[in-house]
Amino acid sequence: MSLKDYSAPQPRAADIGGLAATLDGPLITAEDAGYDEARAVYNGMIDRRPFAIARCANAADVAGCIRFATEEGLELAVRGGGHNAGGFGVWDGALVIDLSAMRSVDVDAEAHTVRVDGGCTWGDVDGATVPYGMATPSGFMASTGVGGLALGGGVGYLSRRYGLTVDSLLSADVVLADGTLVTADPTSHPDLFWGLRGGGGNFGVVVSFRFACHDVGEHGTVVGGPVLYDLADAPEVMRWYRELLPTLPEELSGWIGLLTIPPAAPFPEELWGRKACAIVWCYTGPADKAAAVMAPVRDFGSPLLVGLAPMPFSALQQAFDGLYPAGLQWYWKADMFTEISDAAIDVHAKYGALLPTGHSTMHLYPIDGAAMRVDAAATAFPYRGGGWAGTIVGVDPDPANTGAITEWAKAYWDELHPTSAGGVYVNFLGQEGDDRVRSAYGANYDRLARVKAQYDPHNVFHINQNIPPAGTPTG
């Protein structure tokens, strides 16, 4: 069953009042002054009007909302950090379970673990773990929500050395579709635990995660930052990068992209507004080996800027947050790539020259090293053969430019897609239909559908990249 098959009946006002009385957190409706702020998500292109937003204070609030929604036949959306590409954290006419008030983080430095509430961002987690010299593999922005990124897989700076976020997940506390709270780990609800590691929000509401932490740099200090090249050099840089990256020590990782140099410090003013090819590097190994390990990436070609420097890992994670505040217009397209082919490089060069706005960009994130050493069937995330998760995003603050950024991203993707592996990283997927959701999971899809049938047989959690329960017709 797909999203279009659902209607959104409205509950009676008295019922909403009864729900509000049972919650420890506030219930926000269209009559409340904070409604518009509460329904806003990271992608400013998403403008939906939920019936009510429950800012849950605890697992009991989450359970109460689930029971209420199912009893009333009401749509149910779940919001963590709000970064989701498709904006599934809100939905017209839905009751939104908003976890953003659940933000506690508890570090066990001796055990190298961290317990994280479902409403946390990765900035919350890094702020707690990096002072101990540790981090959990995450993404590339501190403002990203823990829940959305972790449940979709979690590709980031630490993936080459320590694997994906799901590879460091030790357990999860989950409120299920019937309102019960369970802990999923390798021995308790193991099928659910498998599905949570890449299967998205299909199986329940994760109210807390427990992750393994890993040593990063010297007391949390890494060497990182961008190396920028003239856009005309992009084909040469991409050919060099695709060959070099798999040969590098796993302590060094870097993503490559095409972008416009921001008109702000710390970039030199003479480079502001210039289109460029960028590689953002992160080295997490011993400081005394940094110079030797990074020499090949520091010295290649004729860079416009070499911005490599020691910094806390948390600072690298926050580097792009200011450039991409919440509320910008975003249009996403994405694919997985096993190689950066010459044909792909030609397409990148063409559309890099056509970047429509200063925020629009293309990124390729590596998935190799430790991330490859996990069997493709061991977690729901299936792409363990090496390569890159690619994303094309048209971005701008002005809604008037929505058409331009959308058309550029679509045209770019249309030409690039034939060079791809055919699948997609689910965290980069918009509302693109059942076939694209299937492509995100490959051979793992059928097992995910069986787990869905076990834990959410009525598809209560369908406002997401939906995996219908096994036996349910799709279309």
Side-chain angles (χ1 to χ4, degrees), residues 16-92:
I16 282 289
L19 173 64
T22 70
L23 300 177
D24 290 326
L27 187 70
I28 303 165
T29 69
E31 288 71 39
D32 294 315
Y35 175 75
D36 285 336
E37 181 181 358
R39 71 185 179 88
V41 290
Y42 186 76
N43 184 355
M45 203 178 288
I46 305 299
D47 183 19
R48 298 188 181 126
R49 300 186 65 84
F51 188 81
I53 302 152
R55 191 155 287 157
C56 296
N58 47 48
D61 281 1
V62 173
C65 288
I66 294 171
R67 293 189 184 105
F68 178 85
T70 54
E71 288 167 2
E72 295 288 336
L74 186 67
E75 296 277 28
L76 192 62
V78 182
R79 173 178 175 160
H83 260 242
N84 179 266
F88 290 126
V90 290
W91 202 256
D92 288 332

Side-chain angles (χ1 to χ4, degrees), residues 29 38 84 100 147 204 214 246 273-274 280 288 303 424 446 464:
T29 69
N84 179 266
S100 63
H214 308 276
R274 186 167 173 171
V280 181
D288 60 358
V424 61
D446 289 344
N464 48 38

Side-chain angles (χ1 to χ4, degrees), residues 153-238:
V155 179
Y157 285 114
L158 303 181
S159 295
R160 296 192 74 234
R161 186 175 185 189
Y162 294 123
L164 307 180
T165 306
V166 292
D167 300 330
S168 288
L169 181 62
L170 301 174
S171 66
D173 294 325
V174 191
V175 183
L176 301 177
D178 62 0
T180 59
L181 176 66
V182 301
T183 297
D185 62 29
T187 59
S188 174
H189 300 278
D191 285 342
L192 175 60
F193 184 63
W194 178 86
L196 294 173
R197 289 178 292 161
N202 274 283
F203 311 106
V205 181
V206 180
V207 292
S208 69
F209 301 83
R210 188 167 63 92
F211 296 106
C213 296
H214 308 276
D215 295 331
V216 289
E218 299 285 341
H219 309 294
T221 297
V222 302
V223 179
V227 179
L228 304 178
Y229 302 88
D230 187 84
L231 187 64
D233 294 335
E236 178 187 6
V237 173
M238 286 185 164

